[in-house]
Structure formats: structure tokens, C-alpha cells
Amino acid sequence: MIESLNDFLFQYKYVFKSLYGLLYYSFGLSVFLHSRHFSRLVLAKSLPWLGGFGILTALYEWGNVFIPLHGQVQGLHDQTIFFIFQQLILGLSLVSLFQFGIDMLRPFGTHFRWVRLVPTFVLILWLFGPFIIGFSLIPDIKDWISFTAGTAARFICIPASVVATVGLIHQQRRQIKPMKLPFMDVMTRCAAGGLAAYGLFGGIFGPKSFFKPGIFLTEESFTDFVGLNPHLFMALAGVVLFIAFTRLLEIFDIETEVMVRNMEQEQVIANERERMARDLHDGALQQVYASGLLAQSLKKRTKSENLSEADRLINTINEAILQLRDFLPRKKSEVTSVDLVGALQPKIEETKQYIQVSTTWDIENLPPFSIDQARHLTAFLNEVMSNVIRHSKSQEMDIKIQYLEHLLTIEVRDYGEGISSGAEQGYGLRNMRERSKLLGAELKIDSERHHGTVVRLELLIKEGNL
């Protein structure tokens, strides 16, 4: 049966390769069409590279069909220029997959920004080595094609597939799993499996090369051992990738629905606040105003020795009026953005009066924030610092504020008692979680009893959100 299948594939090899290329072209095009620029998911920003990988892989495979057919029809014996372009397309397709994987590993630390340049560096090495120097040293064009394709398979395809698989799993745990969508988790793992299979059959068992292991682990050795060509398994990996990513990209539609639902909830909350403000203005605030007027009237008939008490009463009522007026909606300010550092710095300086604070700022190119964002971030940091002072029994606190790759990170670490696993969640923790939810940020709290607590807020910043 296996021999019959191999004979069938060999007899219709051009048809198989055409369909194989069409499969990866459909996969790449589908990824492009489902891309979302407004999404907060890192996957959305990396998809163009994955789409490029699919389309360029299709062009490379179609080259295996059209170059021989073109030579037969036109009667051409020297098709070197076509083979050169085909190998260049192969290198670009694998580097696109590599870049997709690197981008999926974001965010990078300050000292690891150079990692994004690794695929470009690998491509340059491959171009100047096997591609250019190899072309000048290897006289036979078929040997050169095998050499360039073999080195691309071992030195680009394998690391690209590994990095892409790890990056996809990383984002699945970091952003997709918290959305509590089990089906999307399954599709992400299937997509990662498809990428790993592509690297296994297309990288390890690639064309024959002049060095180990490319001398022994080749397409021919795999076919002799298993009985089937590895391209058949690469086609199956393409089917898995097409189905898995087509379903996985539905997560952007779900994300949009969640955003619309949140906007509707915010509108309901705003309307309710407006109603409460009207009731407060027409009810309680008017009563307090009346109390203030009555207190001033009583002051005029108060004996001189009791005037200080009357003044304190009037001042207390005035303070109550100011506090109540703070709950009323104000006219929209002409100021639409504020400097976050200017908003956070005074709170941190005030905290230094009660505890030793070490502050690290890594905020190069930090954009201005909206008034609401700055208010929530300031209130969040103030809540965290207040909890450290009141509950941790720590003598010092480390605050790190970092902005890198459009990701704002606020991390507060103390060295106190920590949070007991059985402790009841108080207002402070609830307030922090509500603030992070309103910001659309991710909150992480790591605590170990008697070893302190680390509170980390991660907010992905996009221009449309400022």
C-alpha cells in the first residue's frame, strides 16, 4: 500500500506540489486577512510575518513545478536565474517564520532588544555563506541547490520552528489562557504542534548537504526508512496549521465582542453615576448647604467665648461640601493627556516619609497618558504602597517602572510578612484588581509567607488607547 502511494505521488508529483503550495498560500492569505491592528494581543502584531512565511513557502514550492515545466516548454537548458530566485524565496520564507517566533516571545527586557535582529543576522550569514560563496565554489547548479536548501533547512528552519513553537506556547499561557477560552487553548496547542512538525520534517530531514547531519538525515534516508516522502508529512502539518490558525484567529472577533460589551457596561456605569450625581446634588448636598447657612446664622447670635466652636462647625460643613462636590461630574477639561511621571512622583516622595523606597525608572519614550489612565495608575500605585506600609511590616520597598515595546510595567516589591494563602481578600486587593480591570491591564501578585510580596501590573499601550 505504501509503495502504491509513493508511486501515485511520484506519478502526479507536479499536481501534489501544486496543491502543497496552494495549501500554504491559502494558509498565509488567511492569516493576512484575519490580522487585526487594534488588538491588544501580541499574536496580532506578529501575524504578518506568519502570513509572509505561508505565501513565500507556496511560491517556493510552485517553483518546483513551474521551473521544470517552463524549461520543457521553452526548451531552456540553463535556468540558473530561476533557481537563484527560488532559493532566495526559500531563505526569506524561513526567516519570516523565525521573525514571527521572535516577536511572539515579547516583551523583551532592556538588555535583550537585540534579539529581534537575530533572524536578519542569520539571513545575512546564509546569503554570504552558502548562497553567494557556495555559488562561486560549487560548479554544478543541482549540487548548489541541494547545499543552499540543506543549510537553510538545518540552520534556519529548525531554530525558526523551535522559536515559533515556544513563542506561541508563551503567548498562549500569557494572554490567551487568561481569557478562559478552552477551545482557543486547544487550537493554540494544535498550531504549535503543526509548527513543530514542519520543523521536524522540513528541517531535520531536508535536502542533502556536505556536512553532518545533512549527509545522513535527508529526504532520501527518511523515505527509505519510513517508506513515505517527508513532504507528505509537511503537507499534513500545513493542513493542521491552516485549520488551527483559521479557528484560532476567531479570538480577535471574541476580543472585539468583549471590548464592545465593556464599552456598553462603561456607558451603563456612566449613566448610573450621572443619576447618582443628580440625586446627590438635589438631595444631600442641598441639605448640607442649608446646614452651612444655618450655622452662619447661629454664629451671629453666639456668645464670644463660643465663636471658635462655631467657626470649626462652619469649616467642617464647608469641607463636607467640597468632598461631596468632588463626586459630581465636572465639565470635560481641555487637557486630554498628562505626564505619568509627574503624577506618580509626588506619591512616591510622600511614601518615603514612612518607609525606605528604592525607585528604578526605565521609561524612555514614555507617551503621555489620558487623564483617566493616569488617575487609575496613580490610585493603583498609591493603594499598593499604602498596603505595604500598613500590612507588610517591611522596612523597605522597591518600585520599578518600565516602558518597553509598548508595554508599561509597574512592579512593587516588599520584604515583609507576605500574604498568607488562607488570608481573606480585603478592600486593598479588590481595589487593585478593579483598577487593573478598568485599565485593561494584567495584574500579578506573587507572595511567600515571611519572604515578602511582589505586585506587578502590565499595561499594553496603544495609540488608540491614550
Side-chain angles (χ1 to χ4, degrees), residues 113-408:
R113 294 181 182 178
W114 55 269
V115 173
R116 295 197 65 191
L117 300 176
V118 169
T120 304
F121 180 71
V122 171
L123 177 63
I124 292 173
L125 287 179
W126 180 77
L127 287 175
F128 279 97
F131 193 83
I132 296 177
I133 299 177
F135 184 79
S136 64
L137 296 179
I138 302 175
D140 187 88
I141 187 65
K142 291 183 179 180
D143 290 339
W144 176 78
I145 291 173
S146 179
F147 178 65
T148 53
T151 52
R154 275 80 182 189
F155 293 103
I156 305 180
C157 182
I158 293 177
S161 300
V162 170
V163 172
T165 302
V166 172
L168 196 57
I169 295 297
H170 171 67
Q171 293 302 327
Q172 181 262 338
R173 294 176 177 175
R174 183 174 178 270
Q175 289 190 323
I176 297 176
K177 191 172 183 179
M179 297 178 70
K180 298 180 180 179
L181 300 171
F183 180 74
M184 293 302 170
D185 286 344
V186 174
M187 289 298 101
T188 306
R189 289 193 289 268
C190 289
L195 291 173
Y198 182 88
L200 173 64
F201 297 108
I204 296 178
F205 300 102
K208 187 176 181 180
S209 297
F210 302 144
F211 52 84
K212 297 180 182 180
I215 298 177
F216 306 108
L217 298 177
T218 64
E219 296 177 4
E220 291 78 10
S221 64
F222 181 87
T223 303
D224 293 339
F225 182 76
V226 178
L228 293 171
N229 192 290
H231 280 84
L232 179 61
F233 294 93
M234 292 172 67
L236 294 176
V239 172
V240 173
L241 287 173
F242 178 77
I243 296 175
F245 270 101
T246 300
R247 300 305 306 272
L248 176 60
L249 297 180
E250 294 176 6
I251 195 171
F252 298 134
D253 296 328
I254 297 174
E255 185 187 24
T256 302
E257 293 176 3
V258 172
M259 290 172 60
V260 172
R261 187 161 59 247
N262 289 340
M263 291 173 63
E264 292 174 348
Q265 291 176 351
E266 290 175 1
Q267 185 61 44
V268 170
I269 293 173
N271 293 337
E272 184 64 16
R273 285 176 176 172
E274 188 72 24
R275 183 193 64 78
M276 293 175 64
R278 287 196 303 270
D279 293 344
L280 182 62
H281 180 272
D282 298 338
L285 191 56
Q286 297 301 323
Q287 293 291 335
V288 177
Y289 276 137
S291 300
L293 293 175
L294 180 60
Q296 291 178 359
S297 177
L298 289 174
K299 178 183 176 182
K300 297 177 181 178
R301 298 191 293 272
T302 301
K303 296 180 180 180
S304 56
E305 60 269 19
N306 296 326
L307 286 177
S308 60
E309 286 81 357
D311 288 334
R312 283 200 299 271
L313 175 61
I314 294 173
N315 290 335
T316 302
I317 294 174
N318 289 335
E319 290 177 3
I321 291 173
L322 291 175
Q323 292 180 6
L324 288 172
R325 290 179 64 183
D326 285 338
F327 289 101
L328 300 179
R330 297 183 177 90
K331 290 183 179 180
K332 200 166 186 179
S333 172
E334 295 181 358
V335 179
T336 58
S337 61
V338 296
D339 176 25
L340 183 63
V341 177
L344 298 181
Q345 190 69 49
K347 296 292 183 181
I348 296 175
E349 293 300 323
E350 182 180 341
T351 305
K352 290 181 178 179
Q353 301 177 15
Y354 306 98
I355 190 174
Q356 181 179 344
V357 179
S358 174
T359 310
T360 303
W361 300 87
D362 184 8
I363 50 174
E364 184 179 357
N365 300 322
L366 181 68
F369 286 73
S370 68
I371 295 176
D372 287 339
Q373 282 183 318
R375 185 175 70 252
H376 287 310
L377 289 169
T378 304
F380 171 84
L381 181 60
N382 193 56
E383 185 70 54
V384 177
M385 295 188 299
S386 177
N387 283 346
V388 171
I389 294 172
R390 287 183 295 172
H391 305 300
S392 72
K393 299 181 182 178
S394 177
Q395 301 299 317
E396 55 182 316
M397 176 190 341
D398 296 336
I399 300 176
K400 180 181 179 180
I401 301 177
Q402 182 183 58
Y403 178 71
L404 183 64
E405 298 285 344
H406 303 287
L407 183 71
L408 175 69

Side-chain angles (χ1 to χ4, degrees), residues 47-83:
L47 284 179
W49 292 109
L50 186 63
F53 158 72
I55 292 176
L56 289 172
T57 299
L59 294 177
Y60 172 77
E61 293 299 332
W62 284 338
N64 292 326
V65 177
F66 294 115
I67 293 176
L69 292 178
H70 181 267
Q72 294 175 11
V73 172
Q74 299 295 328
L76 299 176
H77 299 288
D78 187 5
Q79 295 181 292
T80 301
I81 187 65
F82 296 108
F83 288 124

